Amino acid sequence: GQWNRGSLVTPLIGPAREWGKMTWDWHSLDVEPGDSVSVNIYGIDSNYQKTALYNVDVAGETMLTDVSATHFPYLQMEMINQDRVKSTAGQLDFWRVTYASLPEAAVNTGRFLQYSGDTIDFGDNYQVKFAVDNISSSDMDSLLVKFTLTDGRNNSQVFYKRYPKLLALQNY
């Protein structure tokens, strides 16, 4: 790589129901001008394909309301630094993305897990129970769970069950 150029990349941001805005600021370690700093904003689709959406070269606020959260449920930002004078990186003060999040659930076996054994014989009933937490700030109108049962010959059967409403930061 080049010794006077570098970048910083965020993890994926989202998933979003609606995008709001991106704000950022930075400062230089140098008294003399020489830093060139910009932020690339990428949309990430449901297949995790990355598409360049914006290149922002002035710190401040960039509205993201025209970005389709349906098409791009995730965003990613990349800060590009270049300093051909002193080879020092611009210092990121902050970068933020506001958005309305989608509900997100997580299995929480640390809170509750109950099962009828680790082996099942043909014809036996088997039960498993575990906690599910809504880890987002959005209510879920319901939760559709896909169960896959696989036998000893690697044949699978798929079942679906819909559970009732799960409020934000609640569990069942």
Side-chain angles (χ1 to χ4, degrees), residues 1 5 13 15 17 28 36-37 40 47 54-55 66 69 73 79 87 90 93-94 107 115-116 119-120 122 149 155:
R5 182 178 170 91
I13 302 163
R17 180 171 29 93
S28 176
S36 169
V37 179
N40 292 325
N47 294 318
Y54 299 101
N55 176 270
D66 61 334
M79 180 183 182
S87 299
D93 294 329
F94 66 89
V107 172
Y115 55 95
S116 52
T119 305
I120 184 170
F122 183 78
L149 300 177
N155 297 315

Side-chain angles (χ1 to χ4, degrees), residues 6 16 34 46 49 53 64 68 74 79 108 112 127 131 159 165:
S46 57
Q49 298 299 309
L53 301 177
L64 302 172
S68 167
Y74 297 95
M79 180 183 182
N108 186 349
F112 180 76
Q127 281 194 332
F159 304 91
K165 179 187 293 193

Side-chain angles (χ1 to χ4, degrees), residues 28-46:
S28 176
L29 295 175
D30 305 328
V31 175
E32 303 165 10
D35 291 330
S36 169
V37 179
S38 64
V39 173
N40 292 325
I41 302 173
Y42 301 99
I44 312 296
D45 67 22
S46 57

Side-chain angles (χ1 to χ4, degrees), residues 52-114:
L53 301 177
Y54 299 101
N55 176 270
V56 184
D57 58 4
V58 177
E61 183 175 290
T62 300
M63 297 306 295
L64 302 172
T65 52
D66 61 334
V67 176
S68 167
T70 302
H71 190 72
F72 296 117
Y74 297 95
L75 294 181
Q76 189 172 49
M77 297 188 299
E78 176 186 32
M79 180 183 182
I80 306 293
N81 278 290
Q82 185 168 337
D83 184 350
R84 293 184 180 168
V85 177
K86 297 216 177 193
S87 299
T88 58
Q91 304 297 297
L92 180 65
D93 294 329
F94 66 89
W95 51 7
R96 298 180 188 105
V97 173
T98 60
Y99 63 95
S101 65
L102 286 171
E104 188 171 4
V107 172
N108 186 349
T109 57
R111 192 166 55 75
F112 180 76
L113 174 62
Q114 183 180 44

Side-chain angles (χ1 to χ4, degrees), residues 3 26 34 51 92 96 104 118 139 147-148 162 165:
W3 57 273
W26 68 281
T51 301
L92 180 65
R96 298 180 188 105
E104 188 171 4
D118 62 0
D139 294 342
F147 296 94
T148 304
R162 186 170 298 279
K165 179 187 293 193

